[in-house]
Amino acid sequence: MSQRIPQKPKRRRPDFRQDPCQDVFTCRVCGWPVGPQAAGTQHRNHCPNCLSSVHLDDEPGDRAADCGGTMEPVAVWVRKGGEWAIIHRCKVCGVLHSNRVAADDDPTVLMSLAVKPLAMPPFPLERLKRAAE
């Protein structure tokens, strides 16, 4: 006679699409302790020190991504109305996500992302000089 082994109930993933996430975490890139308090939003999703994140969501707040890779900040863009957002790229699967800039994000790191394309143009700068002549 075989005994039936009880199965563990599936653990439900948290869903932060509607409700704020109050979790405090340590940034896996720089070790900074991160919480929602100074972010200016109740949906903290990246480190204010280095702007890195973790690939947890398929859609904002759903916690449905199985990847778990480190999301590196690769660019900033300006949303309608002038609000800045960070473009993150997952180092594991390559997915791109956009995340609002938070009130406590390091402005120096944000500006370095913003000027990166100007500091490293895809053509020699001499071409600009010739084009202007």
Side-chain angles (χ1 to χ4, degrees):
M1 181 196 284
S2 65
Q3 253 187 336
R4 187 168 183 216
I5 300 172
Q7 292 185 357
K8 283 186 181 178
K10 281 193 173 184
R11 202 169 89 182
R12 281 187 59 179
R13 294 177 190 218
D15 187 330
F16 298 115
R17 288 178 284 192
Q18 304 300 322
D19 299 319
C21 174
Q22 298 298 319
D23 293 350
V24 175
F25 62 93
T26 300
C27 176
R28 70 164 60 160
V29 174
C30 72
W32 197 266
V34 181
Q37 298 82 3
T41 177
Q42 294 185 347
H43 299 279
R44 161 62 79 194
N45 56 14
H46 62 272
C47 174
N49 185 56
C50 71
L51 307 181
S52 295
S53 186
V54 177
H55 188 184
L56 299 174
D57 299 337
D58 288 331
E59 297 295 325
D62 68 5
R63 296 300 191 261
D66 290 325
C67 179
T70 299
M71 301 285 282
E72 64 180 333
V74 294
V76 294
W77 69 287
V78 182
R79 293 178 165 188
K80 190 184 339 184
E83 180 183 45
W84 277 32
I86 303 165
I87 303 295
H88 286 101
R89 179 179 52 221
C90 180
K91 289 180 154 187
V92 174
C93 70
V95 73
L96 297 171
H97 283 187
S98 174
N99 292 295
R100 295 173 55 196
V101 167
D104 60 345
D105 287 346
D106 186 319
T108 305
V109 179
L110 285 168
M111 290 304 293
S112 70
L113 272 178
V115 301
K116 195 173 190 179
L118 297 174
M120 299 175 356
F123 53 82
L125 289 176
E126 293 78 37
R127 286 178 63 189
L128 285 177
K129 189 176 182 182
R130 283 187 297 217
E133 293 173 347

